[in-house]
């Protein structure tokens, strides 16, 4: 498990740096996203990965690892939006947004540790295609939950699905970095 924690930290450090760099460029412009919009961004990135896995060709230069990092960052921002609501303008400083980002990533890490304990790191035996399919399925689940005004009968809500998406994307990046 310690190796997984270290790998998690290495992957998320790169994602965090991208988040901070983009915050410097754009500010917290993502705060205008409602859950529909940010979930659509996740969907676009996951579909792009699936297309790249299927065809091996990108006409615009996207790569799978970059899309996975974007999924992680969009997943974190989706959780922030779910908790804080959307804004009509930039309402967080770089420092405020980064502190909240760090808190959400810590929660994702703690969840990963608990689930890895219970599931015996089964993700290490999953195919990359299976991981992306799981991410897509969770995105579609979120879209359905949002369409039901956030109400579920027997399922976890949107936040749990966003956390799972973050962790699956991290697992997939760990697979890529091990190759």
């Amino acid at each position: 498990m310690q190796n997984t924690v270290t790998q998690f930290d290495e992957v998320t450090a790169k994602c965090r740096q991208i988040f901070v760099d983009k915050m410097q460029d754009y500010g917290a412009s993502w705060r205008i996203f409602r859950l529909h919009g940010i979930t659509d961004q996740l969907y676009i990135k996951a579909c792009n990965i699936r297309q790249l896995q299927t065809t091996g060709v990108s006409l615009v230069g996207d790569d799978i690892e970059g899309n996975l990092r974007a999924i992680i960052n969009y997943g974190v921002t989706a959780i922030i939006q779910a908790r804080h609501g959307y804004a009509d303008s930039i309402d967080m400083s770089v420092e405020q947004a980064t502190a909240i980002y760090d808190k959400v990533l810590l929660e994702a890490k703690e969840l990963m540790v608990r689930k890895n304990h219970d599931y015996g790191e089964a993700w290490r035996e999953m195919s990359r295609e299976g991981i992306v399919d799981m991410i897509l399925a969770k995105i579609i689940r979120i879209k359905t939950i949002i369409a039901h005004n956030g109400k579920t009968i027997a399922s976890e809500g949107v936040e749990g699905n966003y956390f799972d998406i973050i962790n699956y994307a991290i697992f997939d990046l760990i697979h890529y970095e091990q190759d």
Side-chain angles (χ1 to χ4, degrees), residues 93-154:
S93 68
V94 172
E95 295 77 21
Q96 290 169 318
T98 304
I100 297 168
Y101 178 97
D102 290 343
K103 181 180 180 301
V104 171
L105 264 186
L106 178 60
E107 289 177 61
K109 182 178 178 178
E110 290 169 347
L111 176 64
M112 180 272 302
V113 168
R114 291 191 310 272
K115 284 191 172 188
N116 272 354
H117 173 272
D118 290 356
Y119 293 95
E121 295 200 335
W123 64 270
R124 290 193 182 272
E125 303 303 318
M126 291 177 69
S127 67
R128 291 183 180 141
E129 294 82 4
I131 290 174
V132 172
D133 290 350
M134 184 62 76
I135 290 170
L136 276 165
K138 290 195 171 280
I139 292 167
I140 292 168
R141 291 175 187 173
I142 291 167
K143 288 173 162 277
T144 303
I145 294 167
I146 291 170
H148 294 147
N149 296 316
K151 295 184 181 14
T152 59
I153 298 169

Side-chain angles (χ1 to χ4, degrees), residues 162-177:
Y162 286 131
F163 273 116
D164 286 347
I165 289 167
I166 292 165
N167 282 331
Y168 276 118
I170 291 167
F171 295 154
D172 209 12
L173 279 169
I174 290 170
H175 281 307
Y176 276 97
E177 291 184 1

Side-chain angles (χ1 to χ4, degrees), residues 46-61:
C47 284
N48 187 246
I49 293 170
R50 190 170 173 152
Q51 182 71 12
L52 287 167
Q53 287 176 332
T54 303
T55 67
V57 176
S58 172
L59 299 181
V60 295

